[in-house]
Amino acid sequence: MARTDVAIDPTMLTPTSMEAMANQATINIGIIGHVAHGKSALVKAITGTSTVRYKEELERNITIKLGYADAKIYKCNNPACPRPDCFKSYGSKMRVNPPCLRPSCGGTMELVRHVSFVDCPGHDVLMATMLNGAAVMDAAILLVAANEECPQPQTAEHLAAVETMKLENIIVVQNKTDLVTMDQATENHAQIQAFTQKTFAEKSPIIPTSAQLQFNIDAVVEHIYRSIPVPVRDFTSDPQMIVIRSFDINKPSDDISMLKGGVAGGSILKGVLTVGDTVEIRPGEVTRDENMQVRVRPLRTRIVSLHAESTKLQFAIPGGLIGAGTLLDPSLCRKNGLVGNVVGKPSSMPKVFAEIT
């Protein structure tokens, strides 16, 4: 297991180095598609973590806020182990190389990827939330339900959105195949092929699955490894992180002496953030004066903690989703108050523009 309490030379890190992958995801994959096509179920099948966490989401059985979960992808080191059985995903807490689960294989599973999944809401009124998540995606998995005609409205809108972001690495998953006959699945497969023509997904693999039954999940995991390359990362520049979530972790019953600062969640675009770093958040607080002119006040704070899911970090690298604990007034971070802000070194932050002409 890689340690997080040792001195690290950022110039020696790569997105596939064991020192990096053991503790933090190094690639972000968006899960996109129409409402109720099984996006959250697929993430749970791969990661073992449910992204549906809020009361309203549980009551309505839909994703409303951006969901997130990490998975480690392992490949069996026995060359005789057949594909896709030789691939297996575990939650990010897995700290050792587990044995291959295939009977009589005798091989050991070796870590080959550590992935963050961004689970996007599929409802039409939540497109803005989906677009916010698209800002940190390196690739995407497009889900299409086999028991509905393709394309559905948000199937088309989500694919158009990731194409606008120039995401060329896309995997198409035909989900809910357990609810249809072979003929219906074949017809739906043809509809998907016709829909994806002349798009970035035209040559993408179409993988039939049932997320609820965890059918063919190993094939999805294999294609994540084989079809989605790890992006080139910049570890040496001044750090910049884009915020896609922010929240107040304090509870109403907490004593005032135990209150903690707000948390900014997102993905580092370049550079390395370290616990103890002084950072600036831009644009920060945005207000209007009596003449309705936009006024911005950048925020300065110190990073007091870094986490990748439940893993405590001393440093965080580009790729993957992280949470940065700060000394900010938690009210500034409550209810995603910092979404869209950029966090970085004070001397290297981009300028803030109130309007573009």
Side-chain angles (χ1 to χ4, degrees), residues 30 134 137-140 161-170 200-201:
M137 295 179 191
D138 299 308
V162 297
E163 284 198 293
T164 301
M165 302 297 291
K166 305 299 182 183
L167 292 186
E168 298 183 1
N169 297 306
I170 301 173
F200 286 164

Side-chain angles (χ1 to χ4, degrees), residues 331-342:
S331 66
L332 296 172
C333 301
R334 190 172 299 149
K335 297 182 179 179
N336 289 324
L338 293 183
V339 167
N341 279 262
V342 176

